[in-house]
Amino acid sequence: SQTIHQWPATLVQPVGSPLSLECTVEGTSNPNLYWYRQAAGRGLQLLFYSVGIGQISSEVPQNLSASRPQDRQFILSSKKLLLSDSGFYLCAWTSGTGGFGGYTFGSGTRLTVV
Amino acid sequence: AQSVTQLDSHVSVSEGTPVLLRCNYSSSYSPSLFWYVQHPNKGLQLLLKYTSAATLVKGINGFEAEFKKSETSFHLTKPSAHMSDAAEYFCVVSDQRSSASKIIFGSGTRLSIRP
């Protein structure tokens, strides 16, 4: 069966420090991978998505970047965090055939920038 | 272009009474529609999905939703609310034509259950 792992679960980082959040998927190949952010009291915003290794599409210009070094690994990074980067970050995957099966989400990372 | 509107930011019902969470969508093509639930500080769990099969979709935990093309709606219902249903609910639309399968989230509806 397919599983998705996301870590860490919580993170407190000072302003200006770097960030690296990792997401891995097991039990499938060539998934579409996504990073979403949920700010307090707001819905989910798509940050990045990837349809293959090294292929990254950015939905919102910001202080963050994403990379996909391996087929089932998706990394969200920042060189210097801002206070506005605080939020709940969710990784998700779906099969390459489209949204028929719905999206499977990781358990999320609660990031607090202080 | 696709969009999804959740008409209520907060719904409060008494335990044992029916639940109705409203969702309207806009899509240029045949959409896939989903409802997700998020409990506090947790990830998202798929409740149910519509992908152009039966218009009445049954999901987990007694929830169901009906796809009404004429009304462009996909409202979520449950006959009898339980305290454990208190959570944030998201209506989601996905364009089936898109290989990248980008999905659009509604702004969410917070469901509170009164004892």
Side-chain angles (χ1 to χ4, degrees):
Chain A
S1 63
Q2 302 94 347
T3 56
I4 180 168
H5 301 281
Q6 188 180 339
W7 67 91
T10 59
L11 192 59
V12 179
Q13 292 282 97
V15 169
S17 64
L19 173 73
S20 180
L21 303 181
E22 188 163 344
C23 172
T24 60
V25 180
E26 295 179 357
T28 187
S29 58
N30 197 31
N32 291 341
L33 297 171
Y34 307 80
W35 279 110
Y36 284 85
R37 177 171 61 197
Q38 184 179 34
R42 300 173 65 180
L44 276 81
Q45 180 185 40
L46 177 61
L47 301 176
F48 301 95
Y49 70 94
S50 171
V51 298
I53 295 174
Q55 301 178 59
I56 309 294
S57 296
S58 174
E59 288 295 295
V60 182
Q62 58 209 321
N63 186 43
L64 302 169
S65 62
S67 62
R68 185 170 178 175
Q70 301 179 45
D71 181 45
R72 289 170 288 179
Q73 184 185 30
F74 204 25
I75 298 172
L76 183 69
S77 304
S78 174
K79 292 182 179 179
K80 290 185 177 181
L81 284 168
L82 305 173
L83 287 174
S84 58
D85 291 325
S86 294
F88 192 52
Y89 289 82
L90 286 159
C91 179
W93 78 273
T94 189
S95 69
T97 56
F100 294 95
Y103 285 62
T104 301
F105 287 86
S107 54
T109 296
R110 173 76 57 194
L111 172 65
T112 304
V113 182
V114 296
Chain B
Q2 302 169 88
S3 66
V4 59
T5 302
Q6 290 184 244
L7 300 166
D8 308 291
S9 60
H10 182 211
V11 170
S12 180
V13 301
S14 297
E15 189 175 20
T17 64
V19 174
L20 170 65
L21 305 183
R22 298 183 294 167
C23 172
N24 286 99
Y25 71 92
S26 172
S27 179
S28 302
Y29 307 103
S30 297
S32 293
L33 294 160
F34 309 85
W35 276 98
Y36 283 86
V37 60
Q38 185 181 31
H39 289 90
N41 295 314
K42 300 289 186 181
L44 288 153
Q45 181 183 21
L46 179 65
L47 275 179
L48 50 80
K49 61 185 179 184
Y50 165 78
T51 55
S52 75
T55 56
L56 182 62
V57 182
K58 294 188 182 298
I60 61 172
N61 301 334
F63 284 95
E64 62 181 38
E66 186 172 8
F67 173 71
K68 292 186 176 180
K69 187 175 181 179
S70 60
E71 299 177 9
T72 61
S73 69
F74 191 57
H75 301 333
L76 182 70
T77 60
K78 183 173 181 177
S80 176
H82 191 272
M83 294 300 293
S84 61
D85 294 328
E88 188 92 16
Y89 291 79
F90 294 95
C91 183
V92 176
V93 63
S94 172
D95 181 0
Q96 293 187 13
R97 283 165 38 101
S98 170
S99 61
S101 305
K102 288 188 292 182
I103 59 174
I104 307 298
F105 278 79
S107 55
T109 298
R110 183 165 61 91
L111 176 63
S112 300
I113 311 296
R114 301 187 299 270

